Amino acid sequence: MMNPLIRKLERFTRLSDADKRLLQEAASARIVNYDTHQDIIAEGEEPTDVNLILAGWVCRYKHLADGGRQIMSFLLPGDLCDLNIFLLRRMDHALGTLTPVTVAKISRDLLQEMLNTDPRLTRALWWEVLVTAAIHREWLVNIGRRSALERVAHLLCELHVRQRAVGRVRDGRCELPVTQVELSDALGLSAVHVNRTLRDLRLAGLIDWRDKHLAVPDFEALAAVALFDPDYLHLDHEGERFDAAC
Amino acid sequence: MMNPLIRKLERFTRLSDADKRLLQEAASARIVNYDTHQDIIAEGEEPTDVNLILAGWVCRYKHLADGGRQIMSFLLPGDLCDLNIFLLRRMDHALGTLTPVTVAKISRDLLQEMLNTDPRLTRALWWEVLVTAAIHREWLVNIGRRSALERVAHLLCELHVRQRAVGRVRDGRCELPVTQVELSDALGLSAVHVNRTLRDLRLAGLIDWRDKHLAVPDFEALAAVALFDPDYLHLDHEGERFDAAC
DNA sequence: CGCTGCGTTGAAATTGCTCAATTCAAGTGG
DNA sequence: CCACTTGAATTGAGCAATTTCAACGCAGCG
């Protein structure tokens, strides 16, 4: 199995064969499977491993007092969950599966060793952390300031682009194995309104979402509705300027 | 001038005298002043320095096509702005002043050297980055799922607690040198509605905001309205467990 | 004196929410 | 193979929260 993390990190920086071997080993040591709607780690727990998603979709979320929840990230194959375990003792949010999921557990100690010995890999992994924060910021804009139509379209654009970045889009078609309720929990909208908004996008011919797959016939058109600008994903091989330094 | 960053980082980990001297030097090298409503760095620019705020309030924000804006962070004295300059080439957001501001510019090279030579400081600085991301996540919950009253109260609680953490609260009173419009830009609400919501909080005796200063007579009461739980700020000396390792 | 920025208030319009019912597809057990 | 259940999507109707528009007050300042 080609490690999807390697593919993604190579967008950012070139990795040596040794880097890749190290990552590949780390990602093979301890594989764990989860069913749909399970917590990989709950809010308040003390994490012991970093979770690398090999297959399936995961979300970060928090529960609210009134029973609602807010999803703060969608994590796809190749995404790394808790690089913060080195510094923050307790999880201030939970990680839950949206589909059946396979993760590789990378222990603190192993990761620490990788970070100590491999500066290029260190940079690549911190790039992950910073891009995650950049996505959080764009979500703030999305939820705070955009209309429901723009909001839904924007999230669909993001998920489409992120999947394209790791080779998971064919003919404008990618996975979208989440429910409308889950989308609404991510967007700060009601499920009913998400449903109506999706209908509007469908009627406008902008999306075709069926069988857990999203087809976007004209990405530019959808991006225009969403006011989507992919800069915040920092996907354009920015790290290559570091190669000289390594 | 006591460096407010040192005070804050010591909440997280103990710093040696050498660490502190290093930080103190770095924060004295190049001091720059800004007026109110200036950009310290604009969206799209390539940052060259890390900005350490010594005095005044700063915000992260993005402009929208329709002229609106979303504020994504409030940065207070002792906060560090762009630790990401090592990895992300272009700013995906701007940093603007809310008051007259004094910052210390710490160059890439100097910071890089500090990170290379001082692992404890490195950890402390990354703690900054992770806490910033944690605040972003809580803001997502706030904007996505809470009512206007809860939302406003929650932000006021956060700003109060963050200032308490750096010794800037006396008798329940702290600075709040922002306008209602700026609050509304941070909360995803209209300025008019923020005004009405503040009136409700004032009439309920929960806040007293005048002359750029916020007084909270009964913090627990305000926190109850806001559903505020300060865990996400990770202020409770979590890093001490690392002392053994250093 | 007359700006200008900021705060305040009222009234009308709108967006998105809640409640409730219905459909549909995919199991699951008898 | 059918009856039943369950999870998800869909639709309508009424309602509530928030926005928008518009006006006015007030203080600081050139």
Side-chain angles (χ1 to χ4, degrees), chain B residues 64-133:
Chain B
L64 286 102
D66 67 356
R69 72 167 177 174
Q70 176 70 39
I71 290 177
M72 291 160 299
S73 304
F74 288 114
L75 301 168
L76 280 42
D79 283 343
L80 213 44
C81 295
D82 314 297
L83 216 49
N84 50 19
I85 66 167
F86 289 103
L87 297 168
L88 304 182
R89 179 153 39 204
R90 303 163 136 272
M91 293 293 289
D92 56 33
H93 60 273
L95 291 173
T97 61
L98 299 167
T99 67
V101 162
T102 305
V103 305
K105 302 268 179 184
I106 306 177
S107 74
R108 271 180 64 94
D109 294 343
L110 177 54
L111 190 55
Q112 183 71 67
E113 193 191 310
M114 287 165 65
L115 296 178
N116 285 343
T117 56
D118 191 332
R120 181 143 44 173
L121 193 52
T122 302
R123 251 198 293 264
L125 294 177
W126 281 115
W127 171 77
E128 268 274 306
V129 173
L130 295 176
V131 170
T132 299

Side-chain angles (χ1 to χ4, degrees), chain A residues 83-196:
Chain A
L83 215 51
N84 49 20
I85 66 166
F86 289 103
L87 297 169
L88 304 181
R89 179 153 38 203
R90 302 161 136 274
M91 293 293 287
D92 56 33
H93 60 273
L95 291 174
T97 61
L98 298 167
T99 67
V101 163
T102 305
V103 305
K105 302 270 179 182
I106 306 177
S107 73
R108 272 180 63 94
D109 294 343
L110 177 53
L111 191 55
Q112 183 71 65
E113 193 191 312
M114 289 164 66
L115 296 178
N116 285 343
T117 58
D118 191 331
R120 181 143 45 174
L121 193 54
T122 302
R123 254 198 292 263
L125 294 177
W126 281 115
W127 171 78
E128 267 276 305
V129 173
L130 295 176
V131 170
T132 299
I135 294 175
H136 286 153
R137 288 191 295 268
E138 187 64 27
W139 281 38
L140 281 170
V141 176
N142 208 27
I143 296 180
R145 284 285 166 229
R146 286 198 257 261
S147 70
L149 190 75
E150 293 164 348
R151 234 187 270 192
V152 173
H154 195 279
L155 179 54
L156 297 181
C157 283
E158 176 186 310
L159 294 172
H160 201 266
V161 169
R162 283 172 59 193
Q163 291 192 83
R164 191 160 56 205
V166 291
R168 301 182 132 259
V169 174
R170 292 247 185 290
D171 305 325
R173 219 157 150 280
C174 64
E175 282 188 53
L176 190 60
V178 303
T179 66
Q180 294 184 0
V181 170
E182 285 155 352
L183 275 194
S184 74
D185 284 341
L187 290 165
L189 294 168
S190 72
V192 171
H193 203 60
V194 166
N195 179 284
R196 290 191 229 272

Side-chain angles (χ1 to χ4, degrees), chain A residues 1-9 52-54 77-78 166:
Chain A
M1 168 168 46
M2 165 61 182
N3 185 323
L5 175 61
I6 294 176
R7 170 152 200 173
K8 193 172 51 146
L9 293 181
L52 168 59
I53 303 174
L54 297 176
V166 291

Side-chain angles (χ1 to χ4, degrees), chain B residues 20-184:
Chain B
K20 291 186 207 172
R21 217 175 310 118
L22 200 58
L23 269 179
Q24 188 63 50
E25 269 172 44
S28 315
R30 199 144 46 90
I31 307 292
V32 179
N33 291 300
Y34 294 91
D35 274 346
T36 306
H37 300 308
Q38 283 193 297
D39 272 359
I40 293 176
I41 185 162
E43 189 170 342
E45 263 187 74
E46 305 197 2
T48 55
D49 301 296
V50 170
N51 293 290
L52 168 61
I53 304 174
L54 297 176
W57 283 41
V58 173
C59 67
R60 280 179 222 278
Y61 71 91
K62 291 192 196 193
H63 273 300
L64 286 102
D66 67 356
R69 72 167 177 174
Q70 176 70 39
I71 290 177
M72 291 160 299
S73 304
F74 288 114
L75 301 168
L76 280 42
D79 283 343
L80 213 44
C81 295
D82 314 297
L83 216 49
N84 50 19
I85 66 167
F86 289 103
L87 297 168
L88 304 182
R89 179 153 39 204
R90 303 163 136 272
M91 293 293 289
D92 56 33
H93 60 273
L95 291 173
T97 61
L98 299 167
T99 67
V101 162
T102 305
V103 305
K105 302 268 179 184
I106 306 177
S107 74
R108 271 180 64 94
D109 294 343
L110 177 54
L111 190 55
Q112 183 71 67
E113 193 191 310
M114 287 165 65
L115 296 178
N116 285 343
T117 56
D118 191 332
R120 181 143 44 173
L121 193 52
T122 302
R123 251 198 293 264
L125 294 177
W126 281 115
W127 171 77
E128 268 274 306
V129 173
L130 295 176
V131 170
T132 299
I135 294 175
H136 286 153
R137 288 192 293 269
E138 187 65 26
W139 282 37
L140 280 170
V141 176
N142 207 28
I143 296 180
R145 285 287 167 226
R146 286 198 257 259
S147 70
L149 190 74
E150 294 164 349
R151 236 188 268 192
V152 173
H154 194 279
L155 179 54
L156 297 181
C157 282
E158 177 186 311
L159 294 172
H160 200 266
V161 168
R162 283 172 60 193
Q163 292 193 82
R164 192 161 53 206
V166 291
R168 300 181 134 260
V169 175
R170 292 245 186 290
D171 304 326
R173 224 160 145 275
C174 63
E175 280 189 55
L176 189 60
V178 301
T179 66
Q180 293 183 0
V181 171
E182 286 155 352
L183 275 194
S184 74

